[in-house]
């Protein structure tokens, strides 16, 4: 039974060393008493439910203890036991553990190290052998008594033949008692074997639950067995074949102990890229029994990496400025275009809020409406004026999107913006050309009519009067014909300047036109 538990523990540690931790539910609900211990300090890192039942402590209390507080042996005794286990070829230690009630139990401890996230921990499986030890002591006691009684009865037979039948009767009774003890021990061993088989079945179920392909081979990489995933995906008659029959191994390559490689795997379905890990499987004497291969499909990971590289390239090369901030609106990331537009380097804005770009042209209500829309709809788009590092104020077109978590809470904000100074200038120029006379700078007829209509409505609304002054330039055509059009243009400019000088302080506009 100890060999079975040790083999299971060794295999479990081999799997754990490949960054494939035991599932939490299986660990917690396992009937075996299991502790995870930090070797350097003895601190109990994790314990399953069976530990709490055995020791009588609740799990929070257990994880606050050190194994030295439970183990009743001194450090010198612990060292001596470890040395004895090595010399006797045992893969377990025998310690005295104290329960919460104060009761002392004799236990067998199967321990093996494994690594998680770069930290080496110790997985210990604890088996209570107090009853077995007591039973052995009782058996030894019975045997000693039996020998003493036989000697006494033999002497009595020699002294008096009369007591011969009494001695035979006593011997018979003691033999029957010894037989009962042997039968009881056989029953206990049978129960222990059944429990070991149950533990083995549980571990086999754990391995079959892995999504990865677990393949066991001999020392020549010939496949011996695999988990349920292998049975489902590998072609028929895969047992007895070399692993490289299903893996595109480079010529002359053979995976060895503790090696990792990314290779193509050919199964019943279409080929897929896989990460293959190899670990040697040794018996307790260190003799190699074969290899354990873990084959993991990395198709999704490679596609994710490709998409990430593509997104990173777009982020770095886009002409739009990109700003990423957290839920508190603290800047986390900016791109190259951001620096070109604002003049700020990334290290200058990290951890800051977008308030450092404020131009002062927008009031609090403007930003309140912006964030209300963003939080409700998850998106806001519009024109906003910002300030560069050198103090220049410029218009930009801003698009902000909120990134939500699965629970519906905002995790971050992503803002895209560009400098629209040139576009604003072009729009202003187009508006100027569409509404004002290029020569005089006065409103043209179209713009004048719009203003005139607005003033009529205003006068009607406020009960005011509206006056129109019509000024005509007499003999303007004669000026053009006799002095030339350039003189006529100068005349119009002068007339426009005089009219603007007269109306500059008034709300009413003026327009100059000619037929």
């Amino acid at each position: 039974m100890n060999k079975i538990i040790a083999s299971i523990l060794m295999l479990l540690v081999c799997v754990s060393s490949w960054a494939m931790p035991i599932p939490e539910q299986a660990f917690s609900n396992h009937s075996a008493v299991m502790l995870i211990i930090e070797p350097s300090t003895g601190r109990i890192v994790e314990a399953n439910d069976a530990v709490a039942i055995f020791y009588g402590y609740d799990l929070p209390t257990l994880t606050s203890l050190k194994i030295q507080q439970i183990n009743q042996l001194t450090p010198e005794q612990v060292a001596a036991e470890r040395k004895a286990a090595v010399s006797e070829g045992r893969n377990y230690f025998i310690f005295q553990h104290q329960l919460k009630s104060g009761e002392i139990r004799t236990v067998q401890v199967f321990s093996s190290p494994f690594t998680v996230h770069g930290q080496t921990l110790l997985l210990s499986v604890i088996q209570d052998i107090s009853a077995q030890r007591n039973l052995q002591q009782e058996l030894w006691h019975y045997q000693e008594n039996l020998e003493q009684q036989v000697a006494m009865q033999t002497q009595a037979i020699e002294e008096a033949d009369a007591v011969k039948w009494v001695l035979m009767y006593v011997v018979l009774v003691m033999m029957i008692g010894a037989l009962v003890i042997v039968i009881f021990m056989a029953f206990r061993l049978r129960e222990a074997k059944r429990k070991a088989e149950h533990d083995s079945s549980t571990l086999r179920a754990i391995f079959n639950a892995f999504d990865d392909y677990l393949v066991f081979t001999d020392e020549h990489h010939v496949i011996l067995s695999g988990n349920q995933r292998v049975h489902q995906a590998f072609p028929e008659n895969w047992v007895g074949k070399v692993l490289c029959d299903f893996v595109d191994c480079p010529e002359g390559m053979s995976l060895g102990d503790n090696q990792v490689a990314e290779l193509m795997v050919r199964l019943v379905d279409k080929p897929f890229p896989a990460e293959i890990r190899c670990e040697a499987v040794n018996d307790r004497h260190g003799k190699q029994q074969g290899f354990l291969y873990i084959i993991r499909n990395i198709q999704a990971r490679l596609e994710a990496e490709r998409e990430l590289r593509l997104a990173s390239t777009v982020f770095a090369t886009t002409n739009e400025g990109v700003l990423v901030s957290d839920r508190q609106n603290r800047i986390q990331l900016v791109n190259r275009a951001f620096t070109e537009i604002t003049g700020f380097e990334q290290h200058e804005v990290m951890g800051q809020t977008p308030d450092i770009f404020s131009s002062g042209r927008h009031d609090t209500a403007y930003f309140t409406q912006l964030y209300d829309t963003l939080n409700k709809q998850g998106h806001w788009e519009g024109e906003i004026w910002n300030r560069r590092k050198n103090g220049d104020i410029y218009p930009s077109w801003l698009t902000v999107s909120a990134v939500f978590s699965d629970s519906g809470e905002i995790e971050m904000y992503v803002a895209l913006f560009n400098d629209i100074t040139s576009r604003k200038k072009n729009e202003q120029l187009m508006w100027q050309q569409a509404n004002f006379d290029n020569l005089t700078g006065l409103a043209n007829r179209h713009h004048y009519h719009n203003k005139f209509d607005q003033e009529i409505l205003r006068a009607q609304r406020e009960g005011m009067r509206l006056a129109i002054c019509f000024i005509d330039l007499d003999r303007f055509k004669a000026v053009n014909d006799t002095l030339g059009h350039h003189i006529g243009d100068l005349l119009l400019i002068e007339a426009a300047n005089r009219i603007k000088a007269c109306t500059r302080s008034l709300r009413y506009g003026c327009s100059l036109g000619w037929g």
Side-chain angles (χ1 to χ4, degrees), residues 412-426:
M412 63 183 68
Y413 299 97
V414 179
L416 284 78
F417 66 96
N418 49 29
D419 188 346
I420 60 172
T421 302
S422 298
R423 192 182 79 182
K424 294 289 288 184
K425 289 181 179 179
N426 292 334

Side-chain angles (χ1 to χ4, degrees), residues 112-293:
S112 183
F114 67 100
T115 303
V116 176
H117 304 306
Q119 180 183 11
T120 299
L121 301 176
L122 200 64
L123 174 63
S124 295
V125 179
I126 298 169
Q127 182 183 7
D128 184 6
I129 60 170
S130 300
Q132 180 179 347
R133 278 301 180 93
N134 293 336
L135 188 61
Q136 291 176 349
Q137 291 178 358
E138 290 176 2
L139 182 60
W140 293 337
H141 178 69
Y142 270 103
Q143 183 177 357
E144 182 179 3
N145 288 342
L146 179 61
E147 293 174 352
Q148 292 177 356
Q149 290 294 333
V150 170
M152 293 173 61
Q153 291 298 329
T154 301
Q155 183 179 4
I157 291 174
E158 292 176 354
E159 294 176 353
D161 187 63
V163 296
K164 174 181 178 181
W165 296 104
V166 177
L167 178 61
M168 292 178 62
Y169 175 77
V170 172
V171 171
L172 180 62
V173 171
M174 295 183 65
M175 290 179 65
I176 293 174
L179 180 61
V180 171
I181 293 175
V182 170
I183 293 173
F184 177 74
M185 290 181 61
F187 176 78
R188 291 290 300 274
L189 290 174
R190 181 183 176 185
E191 289 297 317
K193 179 180 179 181
R194 184 180 303 171
K195 184 176 181 299
E197 291 175 350
H198 176 268
D199 293 343
S200 177
S201 299
T202 301
L203 289 176
R204 187 163 51 250
I206 293 173
F207 294 141
N208 288 334
F210 289 145
D211 289 334
D212 297 330
Y213 304 91
L214 302 184
V215 179
F216 297 90
T217 71
D218 61 14
E219 61 272 19
H220 303 295
H221 307 285
V222 176
I223 299 176
L224 301 177
S225 64
N227 65 350
Q228 190 65 32
R229 190 92 164 108
V230 173
H231 284 271
Q232 295 172 350
F234 273 55
E236 295 182 358
N237 303 323
W238 52 271
V239 176
K241 294 186 178 181
V242 179
L243 183 65
C244 284
D245 291 343
F246 307 103
V247 177
D248 290 339
C249 300
E251 184 176 357
M253 174 184 174
S254 178
L255 286 176
D257 187 17
N258 292 322
Q259 288 187 349
V260 180
E262 293 186 3
L263 304 172
M264 291 298 295
V265 176
R266 305 182 309 276
L267 300 181
V268 176
D269 299 330
K270 62 181 181 180
F272 62 87
E275 179 185 81
I276 302 180
R277 295 175 178 268
C278 177
E279 181 76 14
V281 179
N282 302 323
D283 61 16
R284 65 175 184 174
H285 301 296
K287 183 179 180 181
Q288 184 172 328
Q289 302 295 309
F291 296 96
L292 172 64
Y293 289 90

